[in-house]
Amino acid sequence: MSSQKHARQPFGDIHESEALRIPEDKAEQLVEALNTDLAATYVLYHQVKKHHWIVEGAEFRDLHVYLGEVAADLEEGADILAERAQALGGVPLSGGANYEERAPVTPEDKDVYDIRTSLENDLEIFGDITEQLREHEQLARNLGDPATAELLRGILIDVEEHGHHLEHYLEDDTLVTENSIE
């Protein structure tokens, strides 16, 4: 437990940036959106990392490597979100329980499932985050902050790409003939 008596900046307070010159009321909305994205991203990060650790079966190697790459990309995106929230004069959300409480996505429980179910659960959250990032990119543009919009757009592109790849992993194998599965 911290022994600090006085916070330099309470969570939720915005200190307007002289460098960015985003009005405080707009920065507050942007920081709120970024912290929501940060929470959702970390919830997905931890779920994907879990699947990276527990994947088994014939696809183990490819999925283990791929899910490790996905987790790294999510962590990089989370870092971008947190740093932008700070640059806008806010305090980035931190802490595991805070992420799940704040995230508009629901992670799977702590049990281990077959990898198809796990990837389906990941894909669901990727879809939710995709929609949310699109909304927040538009919010940033509407509030006159093209830099935040572009950062969100970059993260959105990565999230969409990973979601699309997960769809491919979940597709039926079109090379399997009916005779081979009988």
Side-chain angles (χ1 to χ4, degrees):
M1 182 64 89
S2 173
S3 62
Q4 186 173 346
K5 302 282 185 215
H6 302 286
R8 279 189 12 208
Q9 181 177 353
F11 182 80
D13 282 5
I14 302 296
H15 294 170
E16 192 170 327
S17 166
E18 283 200 34
L20 300 185
R21 298 186 182 182
I22 304 283
E24 192 174 312
D25 61 326
K26 292 180 179 182
E28 186 176 342
Q29 293 176 64
L30 292 165
V31 169
E32 176 74 22
L34 291 166
N35 274 330
T36 300
D37 294 334
L38 180 62
T41 299
Y42 267 123
V43 167
L44 179 57
Y45 165 82
H46 287 106
Q47 182 168 294
V48 166
K49 201 67 173 169
K50 170 188 163 186
H51 299 155
H52 164 79
W53 294 324
I54 57 97
V55 66
E56 295 178 336
E59 302 90 357
F60 162 78
R61 174 93 172 101
D62 288 343
L63 282 171
H64 178 77
V65 169
Y66 177 66
L67 292 172
E69 292 169 0
V70 172
D73 286 349
L74 289 168
E75 190 170 35
E76 183 179 329
D79 192 55
I80 290 167
L81 294 166
E83 288 181 358
R84 187 61 179 179
Q86 188 280 327
L88 288 166
V91 177
L93 183 66
S94 63
N98 290 330
Y99 295 133
E100 283 197 27
E101 290 170 10
R102 182 75 176 269
V105 297
T106 304
E108 70 181 25
D109 58 35
K110 294 177 173 104
D111 296 332
V112 173
Y113 300 95
D114 64 273
I115 195 60
R116 176 169 286 281
T117 299
S118 296
L119 294 179
E120 288 169 348
N121 292 338
D122 294 343
L123 183 59
E124 179 68 27
I125 295 178
F126 268 105
D128 292 344
I129 291 174
T130 294
E131 290 178 345
Q132 178 177 287
L133 286 168
R134 286 178 186 151
E135 290 173 12
H136 292 164
E137 178 193 3
Q138 190 60 49
L139 173 69
R141 290 197 191 288
N142 292 343
L143 293 174
D145 185 1
T148 297
E150 285 303 308
L151 290 174
L152 290 169
R153 185 175 184 274
I155 295 167
L156 173 61
I157 289 168
D158 287 343
V159 167
E160 284 183 348
E161 183 177 339
H162 286 308
H164 180 66
H165 287 160
L166 284 177
E167 281 182 319
H168 283 293
Y169 275 113
L170 291 167
E171 288 292 330
D172 290 333
D173 186 353
T174 57
L175 297 177
V176 175
T177 63
E178 286 185 36
N179 292 337
S180 67
I181 58 174
E182 291 178 351

